[in-house]
Amino acid sequence: MLLNFICWVAVYFTVTKKRGQILLAGVISNIILWLVCVVKDGINSFANWPMVYGSIITLILYFSMLLSIFREYNGNVRTFPLLWICVATLLYYGCTVPLFILINYLIRQRPELSVQMFQINQVLSILHSFMLVYSFYLARKPHNIQFLKQPYVRH
């Protein structure tokens, strides 16, 4: 959850003002939802609904960024680092949302299955990390360095 919050804050400073306000409202509502879950269920229960809510917001945000990449980037899109960051994030969160929805039920009803199911999260996390490393590698290429040095104008 902390990583989600840090990513949202980082994205807040790169989006337009209107999207930034929507993003800030999403972060605040996610924190409130997390606090309600912790107070209601206690600290011994995984607060999965704020994780699902945050994951869905992250999916929407990165999907819109992916669409804007395909609309606006006129180079070879496969060598654009932000594409791989978006794909990695969409893959990770898109596949873990069903797991986060069911995890508390699985822990209560079938603990052995919950351990096996959570290994999917670990594999997806490793794949996510490798894709992020690849995007950082692409960012070091000369044609991407020139693109990244251009000043970003916030509208």
Side-chain angles (χ1 to χ4, degrees):
M1 182 168 159
L2 182 61
L3 182 61
N4 278 345
F5 179 73
I6 291 170
C7 289
W8 289 352
V9 170
V11 170
Y12 170 76
F13 289 106
T14 61
V15 297
T16 61
K17 191 173 183 178
K18 183 179 179 182
R19 287 184 185 165
Q21 292 170 348
I22 294 170
L23 185 64
L24 188 60
V27 169
I28 291 171
S29 61
N30 192 15
I31 292 171
I32 291 170
L33 182 61
W34 180 78
L35 287 172
V36 167
C37 284
V38 168
V39 169
K40 181 179 150 248
D41 298 332
I43 61 171
N44 293 327
S45 179
F46 179 63
N48 62 330
W49 291 114
M51 191 68 168
V52 170
Y53 175 74
S55 296
I56 290 171
I57 289 176
T58 304
L59 282 168
I60 292 169
L61 176 72
Y62 278 92
F63 186 71
S64 68
M65 287 171 47
L66 185 68
L67 290 178
S68 69
I69 289 170
F70 286 122
R71 274 195 309 259
E72 297 170 9
Y73 188 68
N74 54 4
N76 185 0
V77 74
R78 289 180 295 164
T79 61
F80 190 53
L82 187 57
L83 169 79
W84 292 101
I85 293 172
C86 289
V87 169
T89 304
L90 288 171
L91 179 69
Y92 175 75
Y93 285 107
C95 292
T96 57
V97 164
L99 175 67
F100 292 147
I101 290 172
L102 295 173
I103 195 69
N104 280 341
Y105 172 78
L106 289 174
I107 289 171
R108 285 190 303 272
Q109 301 298 325
R110 308 237 353 240
E112 67 282 346
L113 181 61
S114 70
V115 171
Q116 293 173 351
M117 291 293 289
F118 203 73
Q119 290 175 355
I120 295 171
N121 185 40
Q122 295 169 346
V123 171
L124 288 170
S125 180
I126 292 169
L127 182 63
H128 181 250
S129 298
F130 277 124
M131 291 176 84
L132 291 179
V133 166
Y134 181 66
S135 70
F136 293 141
Y137 168 74
L138 288 176
R140 297 290 302 155
K141 297 226 175 189
H143 63 278
N144 285 328
I145 290 175
Q146 286 297 348
F147 179 77
L148 295 173
K149 285 184 178 179
Q150 294 175 356
Y152 182 80
V153 178
R154 187 173 178 185
H155 297 98

